[in-house]
Amino acid sequence: MRLPAWFAEPAEQSVPEPELRVSTLELFFDLVFVFTVTQLTHVLVTGLETPAPGHPAVTIGESTLRVVLLFGVMWWMYSGYVWLLNSVPPVRPARRVLVLLGMTGFLLMALAIPSTFDGGGPAFAVGYLLLVVVHGALYLQATRAIVRVIPFNLAATALIGAAAFVPAPYDYLLWAAALVLLWGSPYFIGQKGFSLRAAHVVERHGLLVIVVLGESMLAIGIGAADLTVDLGLGLAGALGLCLAACLWWAYFGGDDETAAEHALAAAEPVTRTRMILGAYFYGHIPILLGVVAVSGGIKKVIGHPLDPLKPSAAIMLGLGVALYLAGDFWFRRVLALGQTRVRSLAAAAALVTAAAGLWSAMAQLALLVLVLVTMLAVEHRASRILDA
């Protein structure tokens, strides 16, 4: 992430850092967070379905806006806990209890997500406040720099809480203000004082991407519930698995994790923190939102694989893959990992597949798999030529 010229901090001397691996408690924490991602897929899909009697109609545009706002504020706090446990490993019982308390906040938010904009806002705000308080209290054990962050987190929580008592569309404005406050705060907080271990950050985000991709497989199971398993359903399920596998391969197929770890470890602490902010906070936003959109699209495909998709569903499926590749492109550019041009072309091609979805849902799914397989094959050939 490139910061304004007026923002400058002195470089800190790099020192050897003890190795820190992701703990099982952190994996447990991630599973709770991924439940919130599953709930976001549900919110997104409501914009494609006929509302139940007594429930207000929600357009795809409105459901998309809700997903972006909800994910945006939750991703800020999830990343905050990644940084927290990087600096304050949960090795003591008291720390573990506090982390579990933070998980309770995420669970409360996840349960409130489907109704956050329809009466469930106070529950979401309470869960968010719990996250913020636990995060700040624990982080103070590692660095006083967190004092610069806490006012932004509390102010955003107040805006989210106030939005629960404001009618639409003003509630969306308060949510947007909270999101801008959080995402823009690094420009004012600065990165000095947040020394992060490179290997832990790389491993933690890699494991999160795997778990979130597994959530896309849940979409297949949910979409196929109570359906007879015939040839069409079987092929659609297989193509959905192939699509998820290609997305996995795009992220994990090479030695990029090792290269990313080396690039971060070689940087001095302030520069490393900026690189992590750009690659793993901002860069992973479209990656995870892309998986949410892909999951929603696959859910619609599984139900009627041979039928045409609604334009909004076809665009959502193609856009999901494009977002994932765009985030991966951003992530690689920040860390100078290479193989970015072909991925930008593949992202554009993924958007074009929406036209095929208007003819057949399965045709679009097959084209998306073809685009990704072609991209991976071209990259593999290019890497072999470079190694020769």
Side-chain angles (χ1 to χ4, degrees), residues 58 61 112 149 168 171 189 203 242 285 289 314 320 370 387:
V58 178
V149 180
D171 57 342
I189 293 169
E203 182 184 13
C242 288
I285 289 170
L289 284 177
L370 179 61
D387 293 339

Side-chain angles (χ1 to χ4, degrees), residues 193-248:
F194 296 97
S195 182
L196 299 171
R197 298 174 176 91
H200 178 269
V201 170
V202 173
E203 182 184 13
R204 182 75 185 272
H205 286 84
L207 290 172
L208 175 66
V209 171
I210 290 177
V211 176
V212 173
L213 283 173
E215 187 269 338
S216 66
M217 294 297 94
L218 271 176
I220 295 178
I222 295 172
D226 302 323
L227 296 178
T228 301
V229 182
D230 54 15
L231 180 61
L233 179 59
L235 284 175
L239 285 172
L241 176 60
C242 288
L243 180 61
C246 288
L247 295 176
W248 168 85

Side-chain angles (χ1 to χ4, degrees), residues 34 69 198 203 207 233 253 263 280 321 324 339 345 347 349 364 386:
V34 170
L69 294 173
E203 182 184 13
L207 290 172
L233 179 59
Y280 288 98
V321 175
Y324 185 96
Q339 298 284 24
L345 295 174
Q364 182 180 5
L386 290 174

